[in-house]
Coordinates of all heavy atoms in Angstrom, one line a residue:
R8 N -38.9 31.2 97.8 CA -37.8 30.4 97.2 C -38.3 29.9 95.8 O -39.3 29.3 95.7 CB -37.4 29.3 98.1 CG -36.8 29.7 99.3 CD -35.8 28.6 99.8 NE -35.3 28.9 101.1 CZ -34.2 29.6 101.3 NH1 -33.6 30.1 100.3 NH2 -33.8 29.8 102.5
R9 N -37.4 30.2 94.8 CA -37.8 29.7 93.4 C -37.4 28.2 93.4 O -36.3 27.8 93.7 CB -36.9 30.4 92.4 CG -37.2 30.0 91.0 CD -36.4 30.9 90.0 NE -34.9 30.7 90.2 CZ -34.2 29.7 89.6 NH1 -34.9 28.8 88.8 NH2 -33.0 29.6 89.7
R10 N -38.3 27.4 92.9 CA -38.1 26.0 92.7 C -37.1 25.8 91.5 O -37.3 26.6 90.5 CB -39.3 25.2 92.4 CG -40.4 25.2 93.6 CD -41.6 24.4 93.3 NE -42.0 24.3 91.9 CZ -42.8 23.3 91.5 NH1 -43.1 22.3 92.2 NH2 -43.1 23.2 90.2
R11 N -36.2 24.9 91.6 CA -35.4 24.7 90.5 C -36.1 23.7 89.5 O -37.0 22.9 89.9 CB -34.1 23.9 90.9 CG -33.1 24.8 91.7 CD -31.8 23.9 91.9 NE -30.9 24.7 92.5 CZ -30.4 24.6 93.7 NH1 -30.8 23.6 94.5 NH2 -29.4 25.4 94.1
H12 N -35.9 23.9 88.2 CA -36.4 23.0 87.2 C -35.2 22.1 86.9 O -34.1 22.6 86.5 CB -36.8 23.8 85.9 CG -37.2 22.9 84.8 ND1 -37.3 23.3 83.6 CD2 -37.8 21.6 84.9 CE1 -37.7 22.3 82.8 NE2 -38.0 21.3 83.6
V13 N -35.4 20.9 87.1 CA -34.4 19.8 87.0 C -34.8 18.8 85.9 O -35.9 18.3 85.8 CB -34.1 19.0 88.3 CG1 -33.1 18.0 88.1 CG2 -33.9 20.0 89.5
V14 N -33.9 18.7 84.9 CA -34.0 17.7 84.0 C -33.4 16.3 84.4 O -32.1 16.5 84.7 CB -33.5 18.1 82.5 CG1 -33.4 16.9 81.6 CG2 -34.4 19.2 81.9
V15 N -34.0 15.2 84.4 CA -33.5 14.0 84.8 C -33.5 13.1 83.5 O -34.5 13.1 82.8 CB -34.3 13.3 85.9 CG1 -34.0 11.8 86.2 CG2 -34.2 14.1 87.2
S16 N -32.4 12.4 83.3 CA -32.4 11.5 82.1 C -31.4 10.4 82.4 O -30.5 10.4 83.2 CB -31.8 12.3 80.9 OG -31.8 11.6 79.8
G17 N -31.7 9.3 81.6 CA -30.7 8.2 81.6 C -29.8 8.5 80.4 O -29.9 9.4 79.6
V18 N -28.7 7.7 80.2 CA -27.8 7.7 79.1 C -28.3 7.0 78.0 O -29.3 6.2 78.1 CB -26.4 7.3 79.5 CG1 -25.8 8.2 80.5 CG2 -26.4 5.9 80.0
S19 N -27.8 7.2 76.8 CA -28.4 6.7 75.5 C -28.5 5.2 75.5 O -29.4 4.7 74.8 CB -27.5 7.2 74.4 OG -26.2 6.8 74.4
S20 N -27.6 4.4 76.2 CA -27.7 3.0 76.1 C -28.3 2.3 77.3 O -28.4 1.1 77.3 CB -26.3 2.4 76.0 OG -25.5 2.5 77.2
D21 N -28.9 3.1 78.2 CA -29.5 2.5 79.5 C -31.0 2.5 79.4 O -31.6 3.5 79.5 CB -29.0 3.3 80.6 CG -29.1 2.6 82.0 OD1 -30.0 1.8 82.2 OD2 -28.3 2.8 82.9
A22 N -31.5 1.3 79.5 CA -33.0 1.2 79.3 C -33.7 1.2 80.8 O -34.9 1.0 80.9 CB -33.4 -0.1 78.6
H23 N -32.9 1.3 81.9 CA -33.5 1.2 83.2 C -34.2 2.5 83.5 O -33.9 3.6 83.0 CB -32.4 1.1 84.3 CG -31.7 -0.3 84.1 ND1 -30.6 -0.5 83.3 CD2 -32.0 -1.5 84.7 CE1 -30.2 -1.7 83.4 NE2 -31.1 -2.4 84.2
T24 N -35.4 2.3 84.2 CA -36.3 3.5 84.5 C -36.5 3.7 85.9 O -36.8 4.8 86.3 CB -37.6 3.3 83.8 OG1 -38.2 2.1 84.2 CG2 -37.5 3.4 82.3
W25 N -36.4 2.7 86.8 CA -36.8 2.9 88.2 C -35.8 3.9 88.9 O -36.2 4.7 89.8 CB -36.7 1.6 89.0 CG -38.0 0.7 88.7 CD1 -38.1 -0.4 88.1 CD2 -39.3 1.1 89.1 NE1 -39.3 -0.8 88.0 CE2 -40.2 0.1 88.7 CE3 -39.8 2.2 89.8 CZ2 -41.5 0.1 88.8 CZ3 -41.2 2.2 90.0 CH2 -42.0 1.2 89.5
N26 N -34.5 3.9 88.5 CA -33.7 4.9 89.0 C -34.1 6.3 88.7 O -34.0 7.2 89.5 CB -32.2 4.7 88.4 CG -32.1 4.6 86.9 OD1 -33.0 4.0 86.3 ND2 -31.1 5.3 86.3

Side-chain angles (χ1 to χ4, degrees):
R8 292 204 185 277
R9 181 178 65 86
R10 296 185 328 157
R11 285 188 175 114
H12 179 202
V13 181
V14 167
V15 171
S16 180
V18 292
S19 60
S20 69
D21 197 330
H23 293 89
T24 57
W25 283 112
N26 54 318

